């Protein structure tokens, strides 16, 4: 059942065609075979893995007591640091019949848009091993894309599920803020921006997981009117270049929705116009304020003070900036962000979904320092506003990774977004597209 979805594996267990322990062992065998080529594992958990459908846990905010926990920081690995307690989400995964057979790689402190943490091997893209998998849930996306596991946990604050899904040609959902209990990594304070979920090849696996983790969430409603979609295939914020391939993928999804009976137009929330000029400084203040707790957390795990080569230099710089600010400065910054993004929710009263590029480049090589030029400006605003979104893998070129398209929905429309994603999957049939490394 190498390429089988979690839904299919669950059905096979119920039919008696395969045992949970056999599925776990098959997942372990695939990880042992593929990880040396791709580097998607931070550490394996083969010895403790219970029977069940194999999956990975991102080595970030979620923890399992007694297991290695490094968050992409080599000093924590070298000190042999292990988690002291278990967070609720991995318990819920395994209670539902999944087997966490390993922890997936992420950049240092789960912060960055490529998964190349210093002191570790880089995570390589299954479609082209010279290319990045994105970040910060890069190890998870690579493991799913190559067929090592059908589903893998990840997390997202400003694109960390969406960027890897887009680069690796898999699907994901960023749930509405507050839908699923989430944990920010490395001692960062709780934030509605930080949202845990999973990546999968098959959109039906995302629907399965939403039902398991958020059974109280509303199912997709029966729509008795024409559905409305808006298209945004450029950057209204900074005027940055969007690669033609990314724009083509957006147009392909829009054309298909029209064929399916949607009303499609070209507009976007006015709040996106020049958004970064209005919130950029405030976001910097809020982001900087997360760094002092990180120092305390890492130092507490190590049992000593940190040296300047043990965390990225920007972390030290951010903490120094924060030291010169007051509680009032931080509160004002948070209020500024909330005021700027609040009108986005009002805009969605007239539109069901907004279709945008998931990234501004379809891929970027390992070894560079990628940033907003590559990942773009259209993921973070919907993190700040708390809206749900999915990534649609759109196959454009045989032998190359499908190109990711972001579809954003209203607050609470998670179920409807996943039903739409399943509808698009049935049309595009991206499951038929597999990287050569799979063979």
């Amino acid at each position: 059942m190498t390429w089988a979805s979690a839904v299919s594996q669950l059905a096979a267990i119920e039919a008696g065609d395969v045992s949970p322990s056999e599925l776990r062992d098959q997942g372990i065998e695939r990880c042992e075979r593929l990880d040396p080529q791709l580097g998607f594992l931070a550490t394996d958990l083969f010895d403790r893995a219970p029977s069940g459908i194999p999956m990975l846990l991102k080595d970030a905010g979620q923890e399992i007591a007694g297991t290695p926990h490094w968050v992409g920081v080599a000093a924590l690995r070298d000190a042999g640091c292990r988690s002291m307690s278990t967070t609720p989400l991995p318990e819920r995964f395994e209670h539902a019949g999944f087997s966490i057979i390993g922890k997936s790689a992420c950049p240092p402190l789960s912060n960055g848009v490529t998964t190349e943490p210093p002191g570790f091997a880089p995570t390589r893209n299954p479609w082209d091993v010279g290319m990045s998998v994105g970040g910060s849930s890069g190890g998870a996306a690579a493991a799913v894309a190559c067929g090592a596991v059908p589903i893998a946990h990840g997390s997202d604050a400003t694109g960390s599920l969406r960027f890897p899904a887009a680069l690796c040609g898999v699907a994901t959902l960023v749930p509405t803020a507050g839908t699923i209990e989430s944990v920010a990594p490395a001692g960062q304070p709780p934030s509605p921006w930080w949202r845990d979920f999973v990546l999968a090849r098959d959109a039906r696996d995302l629907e399965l997981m939403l039902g398991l983790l958020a059974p109280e969430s509303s199912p997709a409603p029966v729509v008795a009117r024409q559905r409305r979609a808006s298209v945004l295939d450029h950057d209204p914020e900074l005027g940055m270049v969007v690669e033609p391939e990314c724009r083509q993928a957006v147009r392909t999804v829009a054309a298909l929705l029209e064929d399916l009976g949607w009303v499609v137009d070209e507009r976007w929330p006015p709040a996106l116009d020049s958004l970064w000029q209005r919130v950029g400084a405030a976001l910097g203040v809020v982001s900087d304020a997360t760094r002092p707790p990180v120092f305390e957390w890492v130092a507490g795990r190590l049992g000593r003070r940190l040296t300047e080569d043990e965390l990225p230099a920007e972390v030290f710089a951010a903490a120094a900036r924060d030291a010169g600010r007051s509680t009032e400065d931080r509160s004002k910054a948070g209020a500024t962000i909330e005021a700027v993004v609040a009108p986005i929710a009002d805009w969605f009263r007239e539109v069901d979904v907004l279709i945008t590029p998931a990234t501004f480049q379809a891929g970027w090589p390992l070894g560079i320092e990628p940033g907003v030029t590559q990942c773009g400006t259209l993921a973070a605003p919907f993190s700040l506003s708390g809206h749900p979104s999915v990534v649609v893998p759109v196959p454009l070129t045989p032998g190359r990774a499908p190109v990711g398209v972001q579809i954003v929905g209203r607050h609470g429309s998670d179920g409807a977004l996943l039903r739409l994603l399943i509808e698009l999957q049935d049309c595009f049939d991206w499951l038929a597209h597999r990287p050569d490394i799979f063979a």
Side-chain angles (χ1 to χ4, degrees):
M1 303 195 70
T2 306
W3 197 252
S5 66
V7 169
S8 297
Q9 293 189 24
L10 182 61
I13 292 173
E14 292 175 347
D17 296 333
V18 67
S19 71
S21 62
E22 287 175 317
L23 289 176
R24 175 203 59 203
D25 293 346
Q26 289 171 14
I28 289 172
E29 184 278 327
R30 291 193 296 272
C31 285
E32 290 177 328
R33 176 165 46 87
L34 293 167
D35 180 62
Q37 304 171 68
L38 299 175
F40 52 76
L41 285 178
T43 184
D44 72 69
L45 300 177
F46 301 157
D47 291 341
R48 70 154 296 279
S51 297
I53 299 168
M55 70 173 296
L56 301 183
L57 185 75
K58 182 180 178 182
D59 190 26
Q62 302 292 342
E63 300 190 53
I64 300 174
T67 65
H69 189 220
W70 306 329
V71 202
V73 176
L76 293 174
R77 178 202 59 199
D78 296 344
C81 290
R82 291 178 175 263
S83 294
M84 295 171 282
S85 60
T86 300
T87 53
L89 198 57
E91 288 187 333
R92 296 181 69 183
F93 286 140
E94 295 196 331
H95 180 73
F98 289 85
S99 174
I100 298 173
I101 62 173
K103 292 188 176 181
S104 64
C106 67
L109 305 175
S110 193
N111 181 37
V113 294
T114 188
T115 304
E116 303 174 65
F120 295 82
T123 303
R124 299 180 179 276
N125 196 307
W127 295 88
D128 182 341
V129 296
M131 300 294 282
S132 173
V133 294
S136 62
S137 304
V144 169
C146 74
V149 290
I151 198 164
H153 161 257
S155 49
D156 189 308
T158 54
S160 289
L161 278 165
R162 287 162 286 176
F163 302 149
L167 268 59
C168 292
V170 298
T172 194
L173 164 75
V174 178
T176 299
T179 300
I180 293 170
E181 184 178 0
S182 300
V183 180
Q188 294 183 38
S191 169
W193 303 347
W194 194 269
R195 290 175 254 174
D196 285 274
F197 199 56
V198 297
L199 305 101
R201 296 184 299 275
D202 193 325
R204 290 172 177 83
D205 287 352
L206 303 180
E207 187 176 54
L208 168 68
M209 192 59 72
L210 183 65
L212 291 172
L213 298 181
E216 69 286 354
S217 62
S218 300
V222 176
V223 178
R225 57 170 175 78
Q226 273 194 305
R227 295 176 290 181
R228 302 189 63 89
S230 289
V231 177
L232 172 60
D233 69 349
H234 64 280
D235 177 18
E237 302 174 67
L238 300 176
M240 302 186 72
V241 174
V242 181
E243 281 189 346
E245 197 172 14
C246 298
R247 299 182 70 170
Q248 179 188 352
V250 168
R251 293 291 170 181
T252 300
V253 171
L256 180 54
L257 291 190
E258 283 190 307
D259 291 342
L260 294 172
W262 287 64
V263 176
V264 180
D265 58 26
E266 296 192 30
R267 56 189 175 123
W268 56 90
L272 296 183
D273 294 333
S274 305
L275 181 141
W276 291 112
Q277 285 91 321
R278 292 179 288 155
V279 305
L283 186 59
V285 171
V286 173
S287 178
D288 288 350
T290 67
R291 294 320 183 189
V294 167
F295 279 113
E296 295 178 13
W297 185 90
V298 177
R301 293 288 172 109
L302 292 174
R304 58 172 174 79
R305 292 173 62 93
L306 287 163
T307 61
E308 290 196 3
D309 62 343
E310 290 179 323
L311 291 179
E314 175 54 28
V315 178
F316 289 89
R321 291 191 297 266
D322 181 70
R325 296 179 182 133
S326 65
T327 300
E328 184 180 3
D329 293 333
R330 301 181 193 101
S331 296
K332 285 183 177 179
T336 295
I337 294 170
E338 290 181 10
V340 170
V341 302
I344 294 176
D346 295 332
W347 183 84
F348 272 100
R349 291 175 182 171
E350 299 180 2
V351 177
D352 294 293
V353 299
L354 175 67
I355 309 167
T356 81
T359 59
F360 284 5
Q361 294 182 8
W364 49 85
L366 293 168
I368 69 169
E369 294 186 10
V372 69
T373 300
Q374 288 76 25
C375 63
T377 63
L378 294 175
F382 303 106
S383 295
L384 305 182
S385 66
H387 283 81
S389 60
V390 294
V391 169
V392 184
V394 181
L396 294 179
T397 306
R400 292 184 60 185
V403 178
V405 169
Q406 175 181 242
I407 301 183
V408 186
R410 298 184 179 118
H411 288 139
S413 67
D414 308 51
L417 281 176
L418 288 180
R419 292 312 303 172
L420 173 58
L421 187 63
I422 291 168
E423 195 172 7
L424 294 173
Q425 175 177 301
D426 291 341
C427 294
F428 287 129
D429 192 21
W430 61 72
L431 294 178
H433 295 255
R434 304 176 184 180
D436 290 342
I437 198 169
F438 172 79

